[in-house]
Every structure is written in structure tokens, then in C-alpha cells.
Amino acid sequence: MPAISVIMPMYKAKKTAMYSIDALLNQTFKDIEVLVVDDCSPDDSYVVVKEHYKDEPRVVLIRQDINQGPAEARNRAFEEAKGEYVTFLDSDDGIIKEGLEKMYEAAKKFDADVVHTTGCFFPVHKPDVMDIMSVPKENYLPQDKDKDIPGEATLLTQDFGVRLSNWLNGTYNGNVWGKMIKKSFIMDNNIRFASIKMSEDVLFSFECLMRAGKYVILPYKCIIYRMIGESLSRGRKDVSYMLKLLEATFSGNDKFTEKMNEIPYFKDNPEDKEKVLKYVNDVMDMIYLVPAFQSVGEDKLLCDDRTSELFIEHFGNQAQFALRCFFMKNAKEPPAPSYLIDDITYEGLNAQLEMYKQSLK
């Protein structure tokens, strides 16, 4: 049984995946397996990688029958992983040569459920460079996250209220790469990636933070993260993109609520759920919704039938109010999520809207 299972979703990544796999095989820590989950790539990525590593027993290829996204690819790998610990690397990223060794040493020292490394490096943007490990270190840009981290591996407090407060202050990054997690902890707590359009890694990391008994902070930057290509978070600014952002926000709220309802801390402290959802919405608003809305404009969004359909699907008979608020506030805030208005009547909402309109005069 390997000590570490590294999970790598792959989709149309034949130009970069082998460099990422090689970075893992060249680690100073050798007792690993690399689970490459091809998410039904339409090109020959699976065939190319399979042929290249046919004589490397540490590389295990898994192929999804249908394309389901990185969340389900990672969930599939959980079922196949044989390692005591699991960690993650995307198929276009790199990892410092001693990265796995450093994380595993900290995990064994504390018998940790989770080891959380402090961020990553961003190489200077060079889309033509497929081998991310070839970028000279002087071109790395450190990730500006994980504030106030101690100078050595430290066991985090088991006071979940303090953990939550630090998370809300942005102290801990929400990425899954750069974290090593005991597989038995994942399976025993039934922690899985949610099939949502954005921030599935943030939700997964958040659940680990709020469940783990032994959570270790390791002040070490080991991941080399590539920022290229289009994704929902870096897509074009049109109506379709805006609607995808709204749908991602709504479904993200629902999944965060669902998960918090299962976590013991929030059963005892239900008032803190609202703080979490407000923080998540504020981040989505600041980074994605406001810039997209300002680019798309109100008229184009209103003219698309899918806009009203989306609000009706999520808010039901409160959809009209939520939609009107969204436009009246000019996307300075996303529409009030359902958890804030479920207990208010539709008539009451319209009365509040009228008061809001009067306040604008």
C-alpha cells in the first residue's frame, strides 16, 4: 500500500499532464501512486498518457464514462486510492521536488487528519511553456494568502469557533492543492466534492477545516500553479457567462447550507451559518458578479428569458423581488440568497422594496 495517493483530474490536457505527472514521479518521496482520472476527454489525452506510462506502475489511469467535471473525477479517485494520505495536483500544475516529503513528515509527526501548506507560486504568465517545472524560480510570484502563519508546522486549535473566525478573515486559503488529507478521515466523515460550477474546492477545504480534529499548518509553499486558459472564473463577459455566475452563486449557497447542516459545530452554532454565506457571497460579488454585471449591462440581462427562469428556479414566488433587487442595487450586492428571505412573505418583500425605492429618492 503506498503512503500517498496523488489525485489528478485530466481533461484535454495531453500537452501539460505528463510534465505534471513527471514532477510527482521525480519527488524525493517515492512511496506514492498517481491516480490520473481522465474526465472523458474528447481528444487522445487518455491514450497518450496511458502509452507514455505503460511501464510505470505508480501511475494509475482511470477513465470516466461521461464528462462530469473535476469534482466527480476526484470523488471517483477517492474510491480507488490505496494510500494512507491523499493529496491533489491539477494536470497543468507543478510541485516543488521536496513537496510531498515535507507534507508527509508533518502528517506523521502529528498523526494529522489534514496538512495545510501555505499557498503556492505563480510563474510569470507564459502560455507557450508547457513544462511548468522549467520556469526559473526567480520568475515565481508568491501567493498572497495564509496570513499570520507560524514559522514551523503547528497543530491548529480545536476551537472551531476560532477556526471559523480565522477563515472568515481570509487566514487560510481554500485550495485543495497543497493539502494532504488522511484518507480514513475523508471516508469516515463522508467528505466529498460537491458537483457545483465554482468553488467546489473551497467548500471541500472548508468542510475539512471544520471537521478535522488534528489540522496542521505547514509554512511551506510547494505548489506551482499555472494560470492559463478559460474557465468559469476567468471566462468571457457576456450574458451567458453572467447567468453561469448567478447559477454558480445560487447552487453554491445551497451546497454550503447543506454541508453546514451536517457539521456538528453549526448544529450547535446555527447563527454562524449566515456569516459563512455572507462571506462566500461577498467574495463572489467582489471578484466575479460586479465586474461581469458592469460589462454585460442590465438591458442585455433582462432581455434573456433564462434570467427570469433562473431566479424562479431558485427563489420560487420570491423571484420577482430578488430579481428587482438585483438590478436596483446595480449588482453592488448579489441578490439576497434564499436563506435570508425564506421566512418573509412575498407581500412583505415588496413592502421592503418600496421602502428601499423611497430611500433612493
Side-chain angles (χ1 to χ4, degrees):
M1 182 178 75
I4 302 171
S5 297
V6 185
I7 295 173
M8 179 183 293
M10 178 177 71
Y11 183 73
K12 295 194 299 184
K14 65 179 180 180
K15 292 182 178 180
T16 59
M18 288 186 288
Y19 294 115
S20 299
I21 295 170
D22 286 346
L24 292 166
L25 298 178
N26 292 330
Q27 289 284 294
T28 55
F29 191 91
K30 302 297 184 183
D31 188 14
I32 68 171
E33 64 174 356
V34 182
L35 300 175
V36 182
V37 186
D38 180 73
D39 195 24
C40 200
S41 296
D43 62 6
D44 58 348
S45 294
Y46 176 82
V47 174
V48 169
V49 172
K50 183 178 181 179
E51 175 63 24
H52 189 80
Y53 294 102
K54 62 183 179 181
D55 297 322
E56 175 50 79
R58 292 183 294 168
V59 177
V60 179
L61 260 73
I62 303 167
R63 184 168 173 80
Q64 298 279 70
D65 293 331
I66 59 174
N67 176 258
Q68 300 179 74
E72 290 305 323
R74 293 179 182 127
N75 289 339
R76 169 76 183 279
F78 286 150
E79 306 302 324
E80 305 289 341
K82 297 180 174 63
E84 179 186 7
Y85 283 88
V86 299
T87 189
F88 309 91
L89 190 71
D90 287 346
S91 58
D92 58 354
D93 291 345
I95 180 170
I96 300 299
K97 195 169 185 178
E98 301 82 14
L100 294 181
E101 181 179 359
K102 295 283 188 181
M103 285 191 280
Y104 189 72
E105 285 177 352
K108 298 302 287 185
K109 177 180 178 180
F110 292 95
D111 187 27
D113 295 316
V114 181
V115 174
H116 171 127
T117 62
T118 57
C120 65
F121 293 100
F122 300 96
V124 173
H125 181 61
K126 294 183 178 181
D128 57 324
V129 177
M130 294 297 104
D131 182 5
I132 198 170
M133 299 300 294
S134 69
V135 178
K137 288 187 177 181
E138 54 266 27
N139 289 337
Y140 291 174
L141 303 174
Q143 182 188 40
D144 185 24
K145 288 189 177 180
D146 299 290
K147 307 168 188 175
D148 304 320
I149 296 298
E152 58 185 27
T154 305
L155 193 63
L156 207 59
T157 176
Q158 293 192 22
D159 185 330
F160 289 99
V162 173
R163 289 190 189 182
L164 178 62
S165 178
N166 288 337
W167 185 83
L168 292 171
N169 289 331
T171 299
Y172 313 122
N173 71 65
N175 312 311
V176 292
W177 33 257
K179 291 182 175 65
M180 185 172 286
I181 307 169
K182 187 179 288 186
K183 186 189 174 185
S184 60
F185 165 74
I186 293 172
M187 306 307 284
D188 291 347
N189 289 279
N190 194 30
I191 301 174
R192 297 294 187 274
F193 286 91
S195 294
I196 51 180
K197 299 292 185 182
M198 291 180 69
S199 302
E200 77 283 349
D201 53 346
V202 175
L203 177 53
F204 180 89
S205 297
F206 176 76
E207 186 173 5
C208 288
L209 176 69
M210 297 305 294
R211 284 188 181 274
K214 295 182 178 180
Y215 195 103
V216 172
I217 299 293
L218 176 65
Y220 183 75
K221 297 181 186 295
C222 65
I223 299 299
I224 307 171
Y225 178 70
R226 182 193 301 268
M227 296 186 68
I228 64 170
E230 280 200 4
S231 67
L232 182 55
S233 59
R234 296 190 296 274
R236 60 193 185 281
K237 303 298 188 291
D238 57 17
V239 173
S240 175
Y241 170 78
M242 183 72 204
L243 291 172
K244 287 180 180 179
L245 283 178
L246 286 170
E247 188 171 8
T249 301
F250 296 159
S251 61
N253 284 338
D254 292 342
K255 284 297 181 181
F256 261 93
T257 301
E258 179 183 316
K259 289 294 184 181
M260 285 190 288
N261 287 339
E262 299 171 356
I263 295 173
Y265 172 81
F266 291 103
K267 292 180 180 179
D268 297 331
N269 301 273
E271 67 280 359
D272 283 345
K273 295 178 188 178
E274 186 173 322
K275 297 177 184 177
V276 172
L277 292 172
K278 182 180 185 304
Y279 175 78
V280 172
N281 279 315
D282 285 348
V283 171
M284 283 290 294
D285 186 24
M286 176 179 65
I287 299 176
Y288 304 120
L289 283 172
V290 170
F293 184 88
Q294 292 174 349
S295 176
V296 172
E298 177 178 333
D299 292 342
K300 289 182 180 179
L301 202 56
L302 274 175
C303 290
D304 194 297
D305 292 339
R306 179 60 184 149
T307 302
S308 57
E309 291 172 0
L310 182 60
F311 275 78
I312 290 170
E313 288 172 8
H314 189 77
F315 294 101
N317 65 359
Q318 299 162 349
Q320 183 182 1
F321 171 79
L323 182 59
R324 289 162 72 186
C325 279
F326 180 73
F327 289 117
M328 287 185 67
K329 294 179 182 180
N330 199 26
K332 291 180 180 178
E333 296 179 16
S338 58
Y339 76 93
L340 289 178
I341 59 179
D342 278 343
D343 297 329
I344 305 176
T345 65
Y346 185 61
E347 290 74 20
L349 290 170
N350 275 296
Q352 289 186 25
L353 178 60
E354 291 304 317
M355 291 175 61
Y356 178 75
K357 289 167 65 177
Q358 292 297 322
S359 72
L360 297 178
K361 295 181 179 179

